[in-house]
Amino acid sequence: KQEVTQIPAALSVPEGENLVLNCSFTDSAIYNLQWFRQDPGKGLTSLLLIQSSQREQTSGRLNASLDKSSGRSTLYIAASQPGDSATYLCAVDSGGYNKLIFGAGTRLAVHP
Amino acid sequence: SQTIHQWPATLVQPVGSPLSLECTVEGTSNPNLYWYRQAAGRGLQLLFYSVGIGQISSEVPQNLSASRPQDRQFILSSKKLLLSDSGFYLCAWSVGRNNQPQHFGDGTRLSIL
């Protein structure tokens, strides 16, 4: 059974820092891994999708990497800003049709 | 462009009452549709998904059911709510079979009294 773990559970950093969020999964047979952002009381916003054949994806200040063999992904946020404060969730599609299994998330606070 | 609508945004219901949450998608055809629940202190859990009208797959046994009466309409229902049904319910859509991003609605906060 696929399980997804995110470390750390919470993170507080000063503005301008570069930071790394970690995600691990137990079964390497995945179609893709996705990173989402969730603001308090809101739905999820898709950030990046990495297919199983890819090693990384970039969007603006965000870079996500995937090491399928070791069951790990990282989300790198460059030059963090207070507007980046949110919960970041990673999810894997193991069964196709985008049936996602989520981690519990990392709650990020970026203070001025 | 595609949009997804969920309503209501918040709902307070007594134990034992029925439930109907609705989700509609605009701007795309034959989407895959999903219902997730986010319980307090826990991650998102997939409840139901649908790849077409009338095709519903349940991922976890529970007190809830789902229906897809139209291509872009997904409904989550219960005949009798339990206290454990409280949570944040999210509808989502994607297209194709694999490797497409999933897009979420703004969610419904359901409190059971």
Side-chain angles (χ1 to χ4, degrees), chain A residues 31-32 34 36 38 41-46 49-52 89 93 95-104, chain B residues 32 34 36 38 42-44 46 49 51 59 88 90 94 96-107 109:
Chain A
Y31 287 92
N32 63 70
Q34 302 185 37
F36 295 87
Q38 186 176 28
K42 298 292 186 181
L44 279 65
T45 300
S46 177
L49 182 151
I50 312 176
Q51 299 181 27
S52 62
L89 297 155
D93 177 6
Y97 289 105
N98 230 359
K99 294 181 292 178
L100 299 178
I101 298 172
F102 280 84
Chain B
N32 302 320
Y34 310 85
Y36 291 87
Q38 189 172 35
R42 299 176 64 180
L44 269 80
L46 179 63
Y49 78 98
V51 299
E59 291 296 296
F88 191 47
L90 289 157
S94 68
R97 180 164 182 171
N98 297 317
N99 296 323
Q100 295 295 325
Q102 198 158 124
H103 306 281
F104 285 77
D106 286 335
R109 174 85 47 199

Side-chain angles (χ1 to χ4, degrees), chain A residues 67-88:
Chain A
D67 184 342
K68 200 173 69 163
S69 61
S70 67
R72 295 176 188 272
S73 175
T74 61
L75 179 66
Y76 175 83
I77 303 177
S80 59
Q81 303 171 359
D84 294 330
S85 299
T87 296
Y88 290 81

Side-chain angles (χ1 to χ4, degrees), chain A residues 2-3 15 19 36 46-47 53 67 73 85-86 103 106 112:
Chain A
Q2 180 73 268
E3 293 182 2
E15 181 176 5
L19 54 99
F36 295 87
S46 177
L47 298 175
S53 59
D67 184 342
S73 175
S85 299
T106 293

Side-chain angles (χ1 to χ4, degrees), chain A residues 15-79:
Chain A
E15 181 176 5
E17 273 204 7
N18 302 322
L19 54 99
V20 174
L21 308 182
N22 297 293
C23 173
S24 61
F25 47 96
T26 54
D27 186 349
S28 62
I30 64 171
Y31 287 92
N32 63 70
L33 182 143
Q34 302 185 37
W35 283 94
F36 295 87
R37 167 188 173 134
Q38 186 176 28
D39 292 294
K42 298 292 186 181
L44 279 65
T45 300
S46 177
L47 298 175
L48 292 164
L49 182 151
I50 312 176
Q51 299 181 27
S52 62
S53 59
Q54 297 174 330
R55 294 301 298 263
E56 65 178 337
Q57 284 287 335
T58 298
S59 176
R61 295 183 293 109
L62 304 180
N63 176 275
S65 66
L66 174 65
D67 184 342
K68 200 173 69 163
S69 61
S70 67
R72 295 176 188 272
S73 175
T74 61
L75 179 66
Y76 175 83
I77 303 177

